Amino acid sequence: MPGSYDNSNIFARILREEIPCSKVYEDAHVLAFRDIRPLAPAHILVIPRGAYTDVVDFSARASAAEIEAFWRAVAKVAKEEGLSEGGFRAIANTGLNGGQEVPHFHVHLLGGRALGPMLTRAA
Ligand code: DGP
């Protein structure tokens, strides 16, 4: 996936404001918005504005300023959404086995209830 960024993916379109989102946070490098199919009382997606397909691509090609801004935003949003105190989950689905649907790097922030085990014990 790295190196083959698809400019027509849904998050690229949200960044270009071609389709709306429920915005939670934004700065020069980062946008955070509510997931359209929430799996928990709080379900927020944090994305870089830059064109990176996944966490591997982001870590390889993003500038130090983008990487710093991204992870600071993850923590800021978690805190401001009231997730830090009770705990939450940050997930970056990556590639086929990771079940990544949208090929623009994103971290899911999930919280607002006890989330249970990370995975069920499937084969
Ligand atoms: P992933 O499987 O990690 O690629 O998750 C993609 C998430 O993106 C999924 O939880 C649903 C969410 N999503 C897909 N389309 C839209 C959209 O148009 N708007 C918003 N806010 N979220 C979307």
Side-chain angles (χ1 to χ4, degrees):
M1 208 180 268
S4 60
Y5 185 82
D6 169 12
N7 266 311
S8 66
N9 79 75
I10 201 86
F11 294 172
R13 297 186 62 202
I14 286 174
L15 284 165
R16 291 195 298 267
E17 298 185 345
E18 291 169 9
I19 56 172
C21 70
S22 174
K23 200 177 290 180
V24 171
Y25 172 81
E26 66 178 328
D27 64 30
H29 294 299
V30 186
L31 176 67
F33 51 94
R34 300 197 187 281
D35 195 293
I36 208 166
R37 299 195 307 262
L39 297 173
H43 187 170
I44 298 144
L45 299 165
V46 185
I47 72 174
R49 291 192 185 275
Y52 304 106
T53 56
D54 59 22
V55 68
V56 176
D57 188 30
F58 180 69
S59 302
R61 296 195 302 110
S63 67
E66 287 174 292
I67 292 171
E68 176 175 353
F70 184 82
W71 292 109
R72 287 198 192 281
V74 166
K76 186 179 176 71
V77 168
K79 189 165 184 220
E80 287 180 355
E81 289 290 310
L83 305 180
S84 292
E85 202 165 314
F88 64 96
R89 194 164 284 158
I91 298 175
N93 294 325
T94 307
L96 272 181
N97 284 354
Q100 182 178 3
E101 289 174 33
V102 180
H104 181 110
F105 172 49
H106 53 281
V107 164
H108 296 254
L109 290 181
L110 294 146
R113 65 168 168 83
L115 296 170
M118 189 166 64
L119 291 173
T120 53
R121 200 171 284 280

